[in-house]
Amino acid sequence: MIELKNIDVVFKQQNKDFYAVKDVSLNINKGEVFGIVGPSGAGKSTLVRTINLLQHPTNGKVLIEGQNITNLNRKELSKVRLNIGMIFQHFNLISGATIAGNIAFALEANHYPKSKIQKRVQELLELVHLPEKADAYPANLSGGQKQRVAIARALANDPKILLCDEATSALDLENTEEIVSLLKEIKNKLHITIVFITHEMEVAKKLFDRIAFMENGELKEVANIYDAFSNPKVPIAKNLVERVINVTLPEQICAKEDEEIYRLKYTGEKAYSPIISEVSKKFEVSVDIINAKIDYIQGNPLGILIIAIAGEKNQRTAAYEYMKEHVFEIEKLAGGER
Ligand code: ADP
């Protein structure tokens, strides 16, 4: 659906070349929510703006549904842009126009038949669950509602792609949830492709199908969302994922003499397997749960458990070997030598 090939974006900063985006190649599939995360300044916005050529790449190609759009003339480009809606962190609504007026504006700008505008606006307001707000002004809406209007406006001309630049970053938790679930609903209803930039990993976890990690203008890792959260590979991915799913050993707890403390990670089916009771039955050890958390990512469980295993050394070792076979990842946090 969207192909980025060897994209560079170079800015002149103090007379030197600065690579905001460096040799990024990416394929985004039709109908998926593709997310880009990374620290501020990583190049996320610059990269996403190359998709509709709001930012022209210094090198590389942008293909939309197989068509190379990198060097289109203005007229051809505006045609392509009709297929790409965009929303922003600060909504960018026209404050002097009503909600209906804001949406109608996008339709008028693209010569939508005048007689049909009112009906289309109402349809869009229903899509974003704000049918009663047509005559209100932006100032009278909550942040979440304003973003819903921005979504309606971005979808006015029935685009195939929706670009979202930090679309939930100005919102509180409740409004963020509202936008995340609306976008999921829209994706399922309209089969639209969504590209979403955020620095909020909770949003990534709930919304994305696939995720790309960016740092210093470079693409460091691309994975499906469950793999990225259960098994991040590169340092920036590990670092960002740990912020949301990590379970740590409380500071005041340290291992006793005959004890070892482990962090277990278990994925998929194994999340349900009663590993703890099996270990205590099979070996002469006692198991204490110190901390535990199960996350559900796209409906699949990812569990992290911190346990203390106490007993004779050979029994602890046997229990460790057994667990190693049965969990996705095991890491010793404290106690006994291994
Ligand atoms: P992100 O979205 O990950 O926070 P951006 O894409 O906004 O990052 O910016 C990446 C880098 O490019 C930043 O260091 C920023 O200062 C720089 N940059 C962005 N736009 C311009 C510009 N028009 N001129 C010069 N530098 C820019």
PDB file of all heavy atoms in Angstrom, residues 4 6-11 18-26 36-48 50 59 212-221 236:
ATOM      1  N   LEU A   4       8.110   2.959   1.134  1.00  0.00           N
ATOM      2  CA  LEU A   4       9.150   3.978   1.215  1.00  0.00           C
ATOM      3  C   LEU A   4      10.459   3.286   0.873  1.00  0.00           C
ATOM      4  O   LEU A   4      10.773   2.231   1.437  1.00  0.00           O
ATOM      5  CB  LEU A   4       9.204   4.575   2.628  1.00  0.00           C
ATOM      6  CG  LEU A   4       7.902   5.193   3.150  1.00  0.00           C
ATOM      7  CD1 LEU A   4       8.077   5.696   4.572  1.00  0.00           C
ATOM      8  CD2 LEU A   4       7.450   6.339   2.245  1.00  0.00           C
ATOM      9  N   ASN A   6      14.479   3.723   0.572  1.00  0.00           N
ATOM     10  CA  ASN A   6      15.742   4.452   0.830  1.00  0.00           C
ATOM     11  C   ASN A   6      15.548   5.955   1.008  1.00  0.00           C
ATOM     12  O   ASN A   6      16.200   6.761   0.346  1.00  0.00           O
ATOM     13  CB  ASN A   6      16.745   4.197  -0.309  1.00  0.00           C
ATOM     14  CG  ASN A   6      16.939   2.717  -0.556  1.00  0.00           C
ATOM     15  OD1 ASN A   6      16.403   2.151  -1.519  1.00  0.00           O
ATOM     16  ND2 ASN A   6      17.656   2.064   0.330  1.00  0.00           N
ATOM     17  N   ILE A   7      14.638   6.294   1.916  1.00  0.00           N
ATOM     18  CA  ILE A   7      14.324   7.714   2.117  1.00  0.00           C
ATOM     19  C   ILE A   7      15.377   8.410   2.989  1.00  0.00           C
ATOM     20  O   ILE A   7      15.668   7.966   4.095  1.00  0.00           O
ATOM     21  CB  ILE A   7      12.941   7.861   2.812  1.00  0.00           C
ATOM     22  CG1 ILE A   7      11.811   7.279   1.958  1.00  0.00           C
ATOM     23  CG2 ILE A   7      12.672   9.316   3.176  1.00  0.00           C
ATOM     24  CD1 ILE A   7      11.409   8.088   0.767  1.00  0.00           C
ATOM     25  N   ASP A   8      15.926   9.495   2.461  1.00  0.00           N
ATOM     26  CA  ASP A   8      16.743  10.430   3.243  1.00  0.00           C
ATOM     27  C   ASP A   8      15.998  11.754   3.279  1.00  0.00           C
ATOM     28  O   ASP A   8      15.453  12.167   2.248  1.00  0.00           O
ATOM     29  CB  ASP A   8      18.083  10.752   2.547  1.00  0.00           C
ATOM     30  CG  ASP A   8      19.064   9.596   2.587  1.00  0.00           C
ATOM     31  OD1 ASP A   8      19.007   8.782   3.524  1.00  0.00           O
ATOM     32  OD2 ASP A   8      19.912   9.539   1.657  1.00  0.00           O
ATOM     33  N   VAL A   9      16.006  12.396   4.442  1.00  0.00           N
ATOM     34  CA  VAL A   9      15.599  13.801   4.478  1.00  0.00           C
ATOM     35  C   VAL A   9      16.734  14.560   5.152  1.00  0.00           C
ATOM     36  O   VAL A   9      17.083  14.283   6.301  1.00  0.00           O
ATOM     37  CB  VAL A   9      14.282  14.022   5.253  1.00  0.00           C
ATOM     38  CG1 VAL A   9      13.935  15.509   5.273  1.00  0.00           C
ATOM     39  CG2 VAL A   9      13.141  13.228   4.624  1.00  0.00           C
ATOM     40  N   VAL A  10      17.325  15.463   4.392  1.00  0.00           N
ATOM     41  CA  VAL A  10      18.496  16.191   4.896  1.00  0.00           C
ATOM     42  C   VAL A  10      18.131  17.664   5.037  1.00  0.00           C
ATOM     43  O   VAL A  10      17.599  18.272   4.105  1.00  0.00           O
ATOM     44  CB  VAL A  10      19.679  16.038   3.921  1.00  0.00           C
ATOM     45  CG1 VAL A  10      20.937  16.691   4.490  1.00  0.00           C
ATOM     46  CG2 VAL A  10      19.935  14.563   3.614  1.00  0.00           C
ATOM     47  N   PHE A  11      18.352  18.212   6.246  1.00  0.00           N
ATOM     48  CA  PHE A  11      18.158  19.653   6.459  1.00  0.00           C
ATOM     49  C   PHE A  11      19.522  20.306   6.628  1.00  0.00           C
ATOM     50  O   PHE A  11      20.454  19.675   7.130  1.00  0.00           O
ATOM     51  CB  PHE A  11      17.343  19.901   7.737  1.00  0.00           C
ATOM     52  CG  PHE A  11      15.930  19.410   7.658  1.00  0.00           C
ATOM     53  CD1 PHE A  11      15.467  18.422   8.529  1.00  0.00           C
ATOM     54  CD2 PHE A  11      15.042  19.947   6.735  1.00  0.00           C
ATOM     55  CE1 PHE A  11      14.156  17.976   8.469  1.00  0.00           C
ATOM     56  CE2 PHE A  11      13.721  19.500   6.674  1.00  0.00           C
ATOM     57  CZ  PHE A  11      13.275  18.518   7.538  1.00  0.00           C
ATOM     58  N   PHE A  18      22.174  17.836   7.979  1.00  0.00           N
ATOM     59  CA  PHE A  18      21.659  17.089   9.128  1.00  0.00           C
ATOM     60  C   PHE A  18      20.628  16.088   8.612  1.00  0.00           C
ATOM     61  O   PHE A  18      19.646  16.473   7.989  1.00  0.00           O
ATOM     62  CB  PHE A  18      21.033  18.046  10.144  1.00  0.00           C
ATOM     63  CG  PHE A  18      20.297  17.340  11.248  1.00  0.00           C
ATOM     64  CD1 PHE A  18      20.996  16.761  12.298  1.00  0.00           C
ATOM     65  CD2 PHE A  18      18.898  17.221  11.211  1.00  0.00           C
ATOM     66  CE1 PHE A  18      20.318  16.095  13.309  1.00  0.00           C
ATOM     67  CE2 PHE A  18      18.220  16.547  12.211  1.00  0.00           C
ATOM     68  CZ  PHE A  18      18.933  15.987  13.261  1.00  0.00           C
ATOM     69  N   TYR A  19      20.892  14.802   8.845  1.00  0.00           N
ATOM     70  CA  TYR A  19      19.973  13.759   8.378  1.00  0.00           C
ATOM     71  C   TYR A  19      18.844  13.568   9.398  1.00  0.00           C
ATOM     72  O   TYR A  19      19.031  12.904  10.403  1.00  0.00           O
ATOM     73  CB  TYR A  19      20.723  12.437   8.180  1.00  0.00           C
ATOM     74  CG  TYR A  19      21.473  12.370   6.885  1.00  0.00           C
ATOM     75  CD1 TYR A  19      22.690  13.020   6.735  1.00  0.00           C
ATOM     76  CD2 TYR A  19      20.955  11.663   5.804  1.00  0.00           C
ATOM     77  CE1 TYR A  19      23.378  12.978   5.525  1.00  0.00           C
ATOM     78  CE2 TYR A  19      21.640  11.612   4.596  1.00  0.00           C
ATOM     79  CZ  TYR A  19      22.845  12.276   4.464  1.00  0.00           C
ATOM     80  OH  TYR A  19      23.504  12.237   3.273  1.00  0.00           O
ATOM     81  N   ALA A  20      17.675  14.169   9.122  1.00  0.00           N
ATOM     82  CA  ALA A  20      16.519  13.951  10.000  1.00  0.00           C
ATOM     83  C   ALA A  20      15.967  12.541   9.764  1.00  0.00           C
ATOM     84  O   ALA A  20      15.436  11.908  10.674  1.00  0.00           O
ATOM     85  CB  ALA A  20      15.440  14.983   9.729  1.00  0.00           C
ATOM     86  N   VAL A  21      16.094  12.058   8.533  1.00  0.00           N
ATOM     87  CA  VAL A  21      15.725  10.673   8.182  1.00  0.00           C
ATOM     88  C   VAL A  21      16.855  10.113   7.328  1.00  0.00           C
ATOM     89  O   VAL A  21      17.339  10.782   6.407  1.00  0.00           O
ATOM     90  CB  VAL A  21      14.398  10.623   7.392  1.00  0.00           C
ATOM     91  CG1 VAL A  21      14.089   9.202   6.927  1.00  0.00           C
ATOM     92  CG2 VAL A  21      13.239  11.168   8.217  1.00  0.00           C
ATOM     93  N   LYS A  22      17.274   8.913   7.681  1.00  0.00           N
ATOM     94  CA  LYS A  22      18.464   8.351   7.033  1.00  0.00           C
ATOM     95  C   LYS A  22      18.175   6.971   6.476  1.00  0.00           C
ATOM     96  O   LYS A  22      17.903   6.035   7.234  1.00  0.00           O
ATOM     97  CB  LYS A  22      19.537   8.241   8.115  1.00  0.00           C
ATOM     98  CG  LYS A  22      20.944   8.277   7.617  1.00  0.00           C
ATOM     99  CD  LYS A  22      21.795   8.124   8.865  1.00  0.00           C
ATOM    100  CE  LYS A  22      23.121   8.747   8.851  1.00  0.00           C
ATOM    101  NZ  LYS A  22      23.685   8.778  10.201  1.00  0.00           N
ATOM    102  N   ASP A  23      18.154   6.859   5.188  1.00  0.00           N
ATOM    103  CA  ASP A  23      18.039   5.588   4.479  1.00  0.00           C
ATOM    104  C   ASP A  23      16.943   4.669   5.038  1.00  0.00           C
ATOM    105  O   ASP A  23      17.195   3.514   5.368  1.00  0.00           O
ATOM    106  CB  ASP A  23      19.396   4.863   4.511  1.00  0.00           C
ATOM    107  CG  ASP A  23      19.436   3.747   3.457  1.00  0.00           C
ATOM    108  OD1 ASP A  23      18.616   3.789   2.522  1.00  0.00           O
ATOM    109  OD2 ASP A  23      20.278   2.837   3.585  1.00  0.00           O
ATOM    110  N   VAL A  24      15.735   5.192   5.111  1.00  0.00           N
ATOM    111  CA  VAL A  24      14.628   4.390   5.645  1.00  0.00           C
ATOM    112  C   VAL A  24      13.856   3.723   4.509  1.00  0.00           C
ATOM    113  O   VAL A  24      13.420   4.380   3.571  1.00  0.00           O
ATOM    114  CB  VAL A  24      13.671   5.259   6.501  1.00  0.00           C
ATOM    115  CG1 VAL A  24      12.411   4.482   6.840  1.00  0.00           C
ATOM    116  CG2 VAL A  24      14.375   5.713   7.774  1.00  0.00           C
ATOM    117  N   SER A  25      13.719   2.413   4.609  1.00  0.00           N
ATOM    118  CA  SER A  25      12.879   1.659   3.680  1.00  0.00           C
ATOM    119  C   SER A  25      11.815   0.927   4.492  1.00  0.00           C
ATOM    120  O   SER A  25      12.125   0.347   5.526  1.00  0.00           O
ATOM    121  CB  SER A  25      13.711   0.647   2.898  1.00  0.00           C
ATOM    122  OG  SER A  25      14.609   1.322   2.057  1.00  0.00           O
ATOM    123  N   LEU A  26      10.592   0.975   3.994  1.00  0.00           N
ATOM    124  CA  LEU A  26       9.456   0.448   4.765  1.00  0.00           C
ATOM    125  C   LEU A  26       8.334   0.047   3.846  1.00  0.00           C
ATOM    126  O   LEU A  26       8.091   0.722   2.844  1.00  0.00           O
ATOM    127  CB  LEU A  26       8.878   1.609   5.562  1.00  0.00           C
ATOM    128  CG  LEU A  26       8.985   1.725   7.067  1.00  0.00           C
ATOM    129  CD1 LEU A  26       8.106   2.863   7.513  1.00  0.00           C
ATOM    130  CD2 LEU A  26       8.615   0.458   7.771  1.00  0.00           C
ATOM    131  N   ILE A  36       4.730   4.237  14.445  1.00  0.00           N
ATOM    132  CA  ILE A  36       6.149   4.594  14.518  1.00  0.00           C
ATOM    133  C   ILE A  36       6.401   5.243  15.873  1.00  0.00           C
ATOM    134  O   ILE A  36       5.714   6.202  16.241  1.00  0.00           O
ATOM    135  CB  ILE A  36       6.535   5.562  13.385  1.00  0.00           C
ATOM    136  CG1 ILE A  36       6.177   4.931  12.032  1.00  0.00           C
ATOM    137  CG2 ILE A  36       8.026   5.894  13.445  1.00  0.00           C
ATOM    138  CD1 ILE A  36       6.400   5.832  10.846  1.00  0.00           C
ATOM    139  N   VAL A  37       7.328   4.675  16.610  1.00  0.00           N
ATOM    140  CA  VAL A  37       7.657   5.231  17.927  1.00  0.00           C
ATOM    141  C   VAL A  37       9.150   5.564  17.969  1.00  0.00           C
ATOM    142  O   VAL A  37       9.927   5.091  17.147  1.00  0.00           O
ATOM    143  CB  VAL A  37       7.309   4.250  19.073  1.00  0.00           C
ATOM    144  CG1 VAL A  37       5.821   3.964  19.118  1.00  0.00           C
ATOM    145  CG2 VAL A  37       8.100   2.947  18.951  1.00  0.00           C
ATOM    146  N   GLY A  38       9.495   6.346  18.970  1.00  0.00           N
ATOM    147  CA  GLY A  38      10.898   6.730  19.133  1.00  0.00           C
ATOM    148  C   GLY A  38      10.938   8.019  19.910  1.00  0.00           C
ATOM    149  O   GLY A  38       9.924   8.712  20.019  1.00  0.00           O
ATOM    150  N   PRO A  39      12.104   8.364  20.434  1.00  0.00           N
ATOM    151  CA  PRO A  39      12.197   9.585  21.219  1.00  0.00           C
ATOM    152  C   PRO A  39      11.946  10.824  20.372  1.00  0.00           C
ATOM    153  O   PRO A  39      11.979  10.768  19.135  1.00  0.00           O
ATOM    154  CB  PRO A  39      13.639   9.569  21.748  1.00  0.00           C
ATOM    155  CG  PRO A  39      14.365   8.558  20.946  1.00  0.00           C
ATOM    156  CD  PRO A  39      13.369   7.622  20.360  1.00  0.00           C
ATOM    157  N   SER A  40      11.710  11.936  21.046  1.00  0.00           N
ATOM    158  CA  SER A  40      11.491  13.192  20.363  1.00  0.00           C
ATOM    159  C   SER A  40      12.735  13.534  19.529  1.00  0.00           C
ATOM    160  O   SER A  40      13.864  13.345  19.979  1.00  0.00           O
ATOM    161  CB  SER A  40      11.228  14.240  21.447  1.00  0.00           C
ATOM    162  OG  SER A  40      11.122  15.474  20.871  1.00  0.00           O
ATOM    163  N   GLY A  41      12.512  13.976  18.304  1.00  0.00           N
ATOM    164  CA  GLY A  41      13.640  14.307  17.425  1.00  0.00           C
ATOM    165  C   GLY A  41      14.162  13.118  16.623  1.00  0.00           C
ATOM    166  O   GLY A  41      15.121  13.245  15.871  1.00  0.00           O
ATOM    167  N   ALA A  42      13.513  11.961  16.773  1.00  0.00           N
ATOM    168  CA  ALA A  42      13.989  10.745  16.083  1.00  0.00           C
ATOM    169  C   ALA A  42      13.777  10.809  14.570  1.00  0.00           C
ATOM    170  O   ALA A  42      14.400  10.069  13.820  1.00  0.00           O
ATOM    171  CB  ALA A  42      13.285   9.520  16.649  1.00  0.00           C
ATOM    172  N   GLY A  43      12.862  11.686  14.134  1.00  0.00           N
ATOM    173  CA  GLY A  43      12.601  11.794  12.690  1.00  0.00           C
ATOM    174  C   GLY A  43      11.239  11.222  12.297  1.00  0.00           C
ATOM    175  O   GLY A  43      10.928  11.123  11.111  1.00  0.00           O
ATOM    176  N   LYS A  44      10.415  10.898  13.289  1.00  0.00           N
ATOM    177  CA  LYS A  44       9.118  10.251  13.020  1.00  0.00           C
ATOM    178  C   LYS A  44       8.223  11.138  12.156  1.00  0.00           C
ATOM    179  O   LYS A  44       7.697  10.702  11.134  1.00  0.00           O
ATOM    180  CB  LYS A  44       8.395   9.928  14.349  1.00  0.00           C
ATOM    181  CG  LYS A  44       9.203   9.102  15.312  1.00  0.00           C
ATOM    182  CD  LYS A  44       8.439   8.781  16.592  1.00  0.00           C
ATOM    183  CE  LYS A  44       8.076   9.973  17.447  1.00  0.00           C
ATOM    184  NZ  LYS A  44       9.237  10.639  18.091  1.00  0.00           N
ATOM    185  N   SER A  45       8.047  12.384  12.610  1.00  0.00           N
ATOM    186  CA  SER A  45       7.166  13.305  11.884  1.00  0.00           C
ATOM    187  C   SER A  45       7.687  13.554  10.479  1.00  0.00           C
ATOM    188  O   SER A  45       6.914  13.523   9.510  1.00  0.00           O
ATOM    189  CB  SER A  45       7.162  14.665  12.579  1.00  0.00           C
ATOM    190  OG  SER A  45       6.057  14.795  13.349  1.00  0.00           O
ATOM    191  N   THR A  46       8.963  13.785  10.379  1.00  0.00           N
ATOM    192  CA  THR A  46       9.561  14.063   9.071  1.00  0.00           C
ATOM    193  C   THR A  46       9.321  12.883   8.136  1.00  0.00           C
ATOM    194  O   THR A  46       8.943  13.067   6.972  1.00  0.00           O
ATOM    195  CB  THR A  46      11.068  14.353   9.235  1.00  0.00           C
ATOM    196  OG1 THR A  46      11.222  15.373  10.221  1.00  0.00           O
ATOM    197  CG2 THR A  46      11.687  14.797   7.935  1.00  0.00           C
ATOM    198  N   LEU A  47       9.509  11.675   8.655  1.00  0.00           N
ATOM    199  CA  LEU A  47       9.306  10.492   7.815  1.00  0.00           C
ATOM    200  C   LEU A  47       7.856  10.383   7.362  1.00  0.00           C
ATOM    201  O   LEU A  47       7.575  10.172   6.175  1.00  0.00           O
ATOM    202  CB  LEU A  47       9.724   9.221   8.579  1.00  0.00           C
ATOM    203  CG  LEU A  47       9.530   7.928   7.786  1.00  0.00           C
ATOM    204  CD1 LEU A  47      10.518   7.857   6.629  1.00  0.00           C
ATOM    205  CD2 LEU A  47       9.684   6.694   8.676  1.00  0.00           C
ATOM    206  N   VAL A  48       6.925  10.550   8.307  1.00  0.00           N
ATOM    207  CA  VAL A  48       5.511  10.383   7.957  1.00  0.00           C
ATOM    208  C   VAL A  48       5.061  11.464   6.975  1.00  0.00           C
ATOM    209  O   VAL A  48       4.254  11.207   6.082  1.00  0.00           O
ATOM    210  CB  VAL A  48       4.643  10.324   9.238  1.00  0.00           C
ATOM    211  CG1 VAL A  48       3.184  10.557   8.922  1.00  0.00           C
ATOM    212  CG2 VAL A  48       4.826   8.967   9.898  1.00  0.00           C
ATOM    213  N   THR A  50       6.692  12.526   4.605  1.00  0.00           N
ATOM    214  CA  THR A  50       7.109  12.201   3.229  1.00  0.00           C
ATOM    215  C   THR A  50       6.036  11.360   2.526  1.00  0.00           C
ATOM    216  O   THR A  50       6.002  11.306   1.299  1.00  0.00           O
ATOM    217  CB  THR A  50       8.460  11.428   3.156  1.00  0.00           C
ATOM    218  OG1 THR A  50       8.309  10.157   3.763  1.00  0.00           O
ATOM    219  CG2 THR A  50       9.602  12.190   3.793  1.00  0.00           C
ATOM    220  N   ASN A  59      16.496  12.135  -0.869  1.00  0.00           N
ATOM    221  CA  ASN A  59      16.734  10.961  -1.736  1.00  0.00           C
ATOM    222  C   ASN A  59      15.652   9.936  -1.444  1.00  0.00           C
ATOM    223  O   ASN A  59      15.082   9.934  -0.365  1.00  0.00           O
ATOM    224  CB  ASN A  59      18.081  10.305  -1.422  1.00  0.00           C
ATOM    225  CG  ASN A  59      19.231  11.229  -1.681  1.00  0.00           C
ATOM    226  OD1 ASN A  59      19.427  11.688  -2.809  1.00  0.00           O
ATOM    227  ND2 ASN A  59      19.981  11.537  -0.631  1.00  0.00           N
ATOM    228  N   ALA A 212       7.239   0.292  14.255  1.00  0.00           N
ATOM    229  CA  ALA A 212       8.608   0.589  13.831  1.00  0.00           C
ATOM    230  C   ALA A 212       9.248   1.458  14.908  1.00  0.00           C
ATOM    231  O   ALA A 212       8.605   2.369  15.437  1.00  0.00           O
ATOM    232  CB  ALA A 212       8.578   1.339  12.506  1.00  0.00           C
ATOM    233  N   PHE A 213      10.481   1.145  15.241  1.00  0.00           N
ATOM    234  CA  PHE A 213      11.217   1.938  16.224  1.00  0.00           C
ATOM    235  C   PHE A 213      12.230   2.797  15.480  1.00  0.00           C
ATOM    236  O   PHE A 213      13.028   2.284  14.696  1.00  0.00           O
ATOM    237  CB  PHE A 213      11.955   1.019  17.207  1.00  0.00           C
ATOM    238  CG  PHE A 213      11.033   0.214  18.070  1.00  0.00           C
ATOM    239  CD1 PHE A 213      10.573  -1.033  17.648  1.00  0.00           C
ATOM    240  CD2 PHE A 213      10.609   0.694  19.298  1.00  0.00           C
ATOM    241  CE1 PHE A 213       9.718  -1.785  18.432  1.00  0.00           C
ATOM    242  CE2 PHE A 213       9.752  -0.059  20.096  1.00  0.00           C
ATOM    243  CZ  PHE A 213       9.304  -1.294  19.667  1.00  0.00           C
ATOM    244  N   MET A 214      12.185   4.101  15.744  1.00  0.00           N
ATOM    245  CA  MET A 214      13.133   5.019  15.100  1.00  0.00           C
ATOM    246  C   MET A 214      14.008   5.703  16.131  1.00  0.00           C
ATOM    247  O   MET A 214      13.568   6.003  17.237  1.00  0.00           O
ATOM    248  CB  MET A 214      12.373   6.118  14.349  1.00  0.00           C
ATOM    249  CG  MET A 214      12.095   5.808  12.913  1.00  0.00           C
ATOM    250  SD  MET A 214      11.444   7.272  12.074  1.00  0.00           S
ATOM    251  CE  MET A 214      12.926   7.926  11.316  1.00  0.00           C
ATOM    252  N   GLU A 215      15.249   5.961  15.744  1.00  0.00           N
ATOM    253  CA  GLU A 215      16.172   6.697  16.604  1.00  0.00           C
ATOM    254  C   GLU A 215      17.190   7.383  15.703  1.00  0.00           C
ATOM    255  O   GLU A 215      17.691   6.753  14.756  1.00  0.00           O
ATOM    256  CB  GLU A 215      16.875   5.696  17.530  1.00  0.00           C
ATOM    257  CG  GLU A 215      17.636   6.326  18.654  1.00  0.00           C
ATOM    258  CD  GLU A 215      18.300   5.269  19.547  1.00  0.00           C
ATOM    259  OE1 GLU A 215      18.619   4.168  19.053  1.00  0.00           O
ATOM    260  OE2 GLU A 215      18.491   5.572  20.735  1.00  0.00           O
ATOM    261  N   ASN A 216      17.479   8.635  15.973  1.00  0.00           N
ATOM    262  CA  ASN A 216      18.461   9.390  15.176  1.00  0.00           C
ATOM    263  C   ASN A 216      18.227   9.289  13.667  1.00  0.00           C
ATOM    264  O   ASN A 216      19.180   9.132  12.896  1.00  0.00           O
ATOM    265  CB  ASN A 216      19.887   8.908  15.479  1.00  0.00           C
ATOM    266  CG  ASN A 216      20.241   9.099  16.928  1.00  0.00           C
ATOM    267  OD1 ASN A 216      19.766  10.048  17.551  1.00  0.00           O
ATOM    268  ND2 ASN A 216      21.016   8.198  17.493  1.00  0.00           N
ATOM    269  N   GLY A 217      16.972   9.344  13.260  1.00  0.00           N
ATOM    270  CA  GLY A 217      16.661   9.333  11.836  1.00  0.00           C
ATOM    271  C   GLY A 217      16.655   7.958  11.200  1.00  0.00           C
ATOM    272  O   GLY A 217      16.289   7.798  10.044  1.00  0.00           O
ATOM    273  N   GLU A 218      17.085   6.951  11.972  1.00  0.00           N
ATOM    274  CA  GLU A 218      17.172   5.605  11.395  1.00  0.00           C
ATOM    275  C   GLU A 218      16.059   4.695  11.904  1.00  0.00           C
ATOM    276  O   GLU A 218      15.616   4.823  13.046  1.00  0.00           O
ATOM    277  CB  GLU A 218      18.521   4.973  11.748  1.00  0.00           C
ATOM    278  CG  GLU A 218      19.680   5.632  11.052  1.00  0.00           C
ATOM    279  CD  GLU A 218      21.007   5.057  11.507  1.00  0.00           C
ATOM    280  OE1 GLU A 218      21.172   3.827  11.469  1.00  0.00           O
ATOM    281  OE2 GLU A 218      21.864   5.849  11.925  1.00  0.00           O
ATOM    282  N   LEU A 219      15.684   3.768  11.041  1.00  0.00           N
ATOM    283  CA  LEU A 219      14.720   2.755  11.424  1.00  0.00           C
ATOM    284  C   LEU A 219      15.504   1.609  12.058  1.00  0.00           C
ATOM    285  O   LEU A 219      16.381   1.040  11.422  1.00  0.00           O
ATOM    286  CB  LEU A 219      14.031   2.273  10.146  1.00  0.00           C
ATOM    287  CG  LEU A 219      12.749   1.499  10.327  1.00  0.00           C
ATOM    288  CD1 LEU A 219      11.710   2.399  10.954  1.00  0.00           C
ATOM    289  CD2 LEU A 219      12.257   1.032   8.965  1.00  0.00           C
ATOM    290  N   LYS A 220      15.195   1.302  13.307  1.00  0.00           N
ATOM    291  CA  LYS A 220      16.023   0.323  14.012  1.00  0.00           C
ATOM    292  C   LYS A 220      15.398  -1.068  14.045  1.00  0.00           C
ATOM    293  O   LYS A 220      16.087  -2.068  14.133  1.00  0.00           O
ATOM    294  CB  LYS A 220      16.262   0.790  15.457  1.00  0.00           C
ATOM    295  CG  LYS A 220      16.964   2.116  15.562  1.00  0.00           C
ATOM    296  CD  LYS A 220      18.430   1.955  15.200  1.00  0.00           C
ATOM    297  CE  LYS A 220      19.185   3.242  15.491  1.00  0.00           C
ATOM    298  NZ  LYS A 220      20.587   3.143  15.147  1.00  0.00           N
ATOM    299  N   GLU A 221      14.057  -1.117  14.071  1.00  0.00           N
ATOM    300  CA  GLU A 221      13.402  -2.423  14.147  1.00  0.00           C
ATOM    301  C   GLU A 221      11.958  -2.270  13.691  1.00  0.00           C
ATOM    302  O   GLU A 221      11.318  -1.271  13.999  1.00  0.00           O
ATOM    303  CB  GLU A 221      13.450  -2.933  15.605  1.00  0.00           C
ATOM    304  CG  GLU A 221      12.805  -4.296  15.802  1.00  0.00           C
ATOM    305  CD  GLU A 221      13.031  -4.861  17.227  1.00  0.00           C
ATOM    306  OE1 GLU A 221      13.951  -4.408  17.931  1.00  0.00           O
ATOM    307  OE2 GLU A 221      12.253  -5.753  17.600  1.00  0.00           O
ATOM    308  N   ILE A 236      16.834   0.421  21.622  1.00  0.00           N
ATOM    309  CA  ILE A 236      15.763   1.429  21.715  1.00  0.00           C
ATOM    310  C   ILE A 236      14.399   0.748  21.882  1.00  0.00           C
ATOM    311  O   ILE A 236      13.539   1.229  22.625  1.00  0.00           O
ATOM    312  CB  ILE A 236      15.776   2.406  20.503  1.00  0.00           C
ATOM    313  CG1 ILE A 236      14.674   3.464  20.601  1.00  0.00           C
ATOM    314  CG2 ILE A 236      15.652   1.705  19.165  1.00  0.00           C
ATOM    315  CD1 ILE A 236      14.903   4.483  21.675  1.00  0.00           C
TER     316      ILE A 236
END
